[in-house]
Amino acid sequence: MASLRDQLHGLVYSTEHGDICPNCRQPQADCCCAEAAEQARIEALDGVVRIRRETSGRKGKGVTTVTGIPLPDAELKALAKRLKKRCGTGGAVKEGIIEIQGDHREVLKAELERSGYTVKLAGG
């Protein structure tokens, strides 16, 4: 980890290259930090997809979250689109977690098991 002084005095923009990544100090076009972070996220998974219903911090509205899917970000978004279409509702992908509006745990479990994933219902 760089010292505070190095963090505050680093180059953030160059007229030659444009924006500079604060982590690797490379131009944004050549930066590989996002790919490395995505690869680390996928490697940290245990191969079990967990589905749970959450309401905390959502003003009482229920959301079904799907975590642990070992797919890159683009494929995860495509899977989320397919799951949202199957449930007939909206949702989002945030930090590797698929959020589907409403309580659709059983539908999602059947759909993911059909796709070949090991699925567990987690939480309440």
Side-chain angles (χ1 to χ4, degrees):
M1 182 77 192
S3 70
L4 181 61
R5 181 181 172 150
D6 291 340
Q7 292 175 9
L8 294 176
H9 293 286
L11 182 66
V12 294
Y13 187 82
S14 167
T15 55
E16 184 177 346
H17 301 290
D19 288 331
I20 304 293
C21 175
N23 296 328
C24 65
R25 306 276 186 211
Q26 297 293 323
Q28 286 289 355
D30 299 334
C31 178
C32 60
C33 295
E35 290 96 15
E38 184 69 21
Q39 187 65 29
R41 181 189 69 82
I42 291 173
E43 289 174 0
L45 300 175
D46 62 355
V48 177
V49 177
R50 289 176 174 78
I51 301 174
R52 67 178 169 175
R53 183 172 180 269
E54 292 183 0
T55 57
S56 75
R58 303 176 195 281
K59 298 181 183 176
K61 307 287 186 187
V63 174
T64 304
T65 59
V66 181
T67 59
I69 299 177
L71 292 175
D73 197 37
E75 294 176 28
L76 196 63
K77 287 181 182 179
L79 176 65
K81 182 176 180 179
R82 192 179 86 209
L83 293 175
K84 291 187 299 185
K85 188 178 244 185
R86 176 76 171 93
C87 294
T89 185
V93 177
K94 297 178 183 174
E95 300 173 3
I97 299 172
I98 298 175
E99 296 179 354
I100 306 288
Q101 295 173 356
D103 186 6
H104 300 283
R105 289 178 287 187
E106 296 302 325
V107 174
L108 292 173
K109 181 177 180 183
E111 185 68 24
L112 289 170
E113 284 176 342
R114 195 173 310 128
S115 298
Y117 292 105
T118 304
V119 181
K120 283 187 180 179
L121 294 178

